[in-house]
Amino acid sequence: MKCERFLSIPIFMVFLLIGVVCYVTLFIFIEDWVGLKSSAGSLNALIFISLASLCLFSFFCCVLIDPGYVPASYVPDIEDSEASDQELKKNGISSRRCDKCSTYKPPRAHHCRVCRRCVLRMDHHCLWINNCVGYWNYKAFFMLVLYATLGCLYSTVMIIYCASHKDLEYSGSGGLKVFYVMSGLMMASLSIMLGTLLGWHVYLIIHNMTTIEYYEGIRASWLARKSGQSYRHPYNLSFYKNIISVLGPNVLKWLWPTAVSHLKDGLIFPTPRDNS
């Protein structure tokens, strides 16, 4: 069952971290700075709780939504099956048979050794959600990273503001100084790590790549240069089309993790050659 995915130590650690960050930000720093009952405190608490709630909702979506598995009845199109191996390698399109699953793999699908299945448009297997990041839950994963980054940045700002308005030199407690410093370092470190991850996936989205395809593209580019040719990622359409292929055509739904009605079956993907 999908709920069994929550029975994981990394997922428990994620829940624990979210709980600690929320408690410290709300009941220590915001309360100590302006007070939760004040208008400023209520406003800051509302903003942070909204970010934390969206982060938690996105996390549940990542864990519970299947990334998309290759149907057992899948057979590639005749045109694809008749394409030469040389052309497939040149374009980076893999429509081949999986030795482990003994089934055909559609373009952009890869076999996950942890899930022991082929995953549609597989990006990677994430330990922290105990699930693969693939075709159907990639947007939820991106929203998770986005809201987690914004939440950590907001918490870091709260710590800085609280520390700047509190005279730690005359607070009479050395332990309080250590707590502020450690909390600030933890939140700043989380913000940097999550921000880096967010930047990485923004780069992947605007180039219509997955993490696996990026590293495959490095090798394909090297082979192309070696033979005197140029390499272009076969699914890189355009800046805007790449974005809406993940977030959807409706801008108002871009920030909602489950707004994926624009997704189809995950077996066929458009290429620039289709429009030529």
Side-chain angles (χ1 to χ4, degrees):
M1 294 178 63
K2 296 179 181 180
C3 293
E4 293 178 354
R5 295 175 186 164
F6 288 101
L7 303 178
S8 166
I9 293 178
I11 287 184
F12 173 77
M13 293 174 63
V14 171
F15 281 128
L16 181 63
L17 180 62
I18 293 175
V20 170
V21 171
C22 288
Y23 180 84
V24 170
T25 303
L26 290 171
F27 299 107
I28 296 181
F29 294 116
I30 294 181
E31 173 66 27
D32 198 25
W33 174 32
V34 290
L36 288 173
K37 294 183 179 180
S38 65
S39 57
S42 299
L43 177 61
N44 281 285
L46 178 62
I47 295 173
F48 180 77
I49 290 174
S50 299
L51 291 173
S53 300
L54 288 168
C55 176
L56 193 61
F57 177 69
S58 300
F59 180 73
F60 271 91
C61 292
C62 288
V63 176
L64 294 175
I65 296 176
D66 283 328
Y69 298 113
V70 180
S73 59
Y74 171 76
V75 177
D77 292 337
I78 297 176
E79 294 181 359
D80 292 336
S81 62
E82 291 179 351
S84 64
D85 293 337
Q86 183 179 359
E87 184 179 357
L88 291 175
K89 292 179 180 179
K90 178 182 177 181
N91 294 328
I93 302 176
S94 58
S95 180
R96 57 192 184 278
R97 195 172 183 85
C98 177
D99 295 332
K100 298 180 178 64
C101 295
S102 298
T103 57
Y104 287 104
K105 290 195 295 184
R108 314 188 79 177
H110 294 273
H111 186 86
C112 177
R113 291 176 294 178
V114 180
C115 297
R116 298 179 181 178
R117 298 182 70 175
C118 285
V119 179
L120 298 175
R121 197 188 181 277
M122 179 179 175
D123 188 86
H124 68 287
H125 184 91
C126 183
L127 177 71
W128 303 106
I129 64 172
N130 196 23
N131 196 9
C132 266
V133 178
Y135 186 67
W136 287 103
N137 65 348
Y138 180 78
K139 182 181 179 180
F141 177 80
F142 180 73
M143 291 297 108
L144 168 64
V145 177
L146 173 64
Y147 290 127
T149 302
L150 293 177
C152 287
L153 286 172
Y154 202 88
S155 179
T156 304
V157 171
M158 291 298 101
I159 295 174
I160 294 173
Y161 265 93
C162 185
S164 63
H165 286 77
K166 190 176 183 66
D167 194 350
L168 297 177
E169 292 294 332
Y170 300 97
S171 61
S173 175
L176 183 62
K177 298 178 185 178
V178 174
F179 175 75
Y180 269 75
V181 171
M182 294 301 295
S183 297
L185 288 175
M186 182 186 75
M187 294 312 304
S189 300
L190 279 173
S191 299
I192 292 173
M193 289 188 294
L194 288 170
T196 303
L197 183 61
L198 176 63
W200 167 247
H201 281 280
V202 168
Y203 171 83
L204 292 177
I205 287 176
I206 63 178
H207 289 86
N208 203 359
M209 286 184 180
T210 65
T211 300
I212 294 175
E213 289 170 349
Y214 172 81
Y215 289 105
E216 287 181 342
I218 294 177
R219 182 175 183 275
S221 180
W222 176 77
L223 291 174
R225 288 196 305 268
K226 190 176 180 180
S227 60
Q229 299 175 339
S230 61
Y231 172 78
R232 175 184 170 87
H233 180 56
Y235 302 104
N236 189 2
L237 304 173
S238 67
F239 180 82
Y240 180 69
K241 288 182 178 179
N242 291 342
I243 292 176
I244 64 174
S245 68
V246 174
L247 302 182
N250 190 340
V251 180
L252 298 177
K253 296 181 179 180
W254 276 11
L255 298 180
W256 191 245
T258 57
V260 292
S261 59
H262 61 285
L263 299 180
K264 298 180 181 178
D265 56 8
L267 301 177
I268 301 175
F269 296 89
T271 62
R273 194 171 57 179
D274 297 335
N275 298 326
S276 61

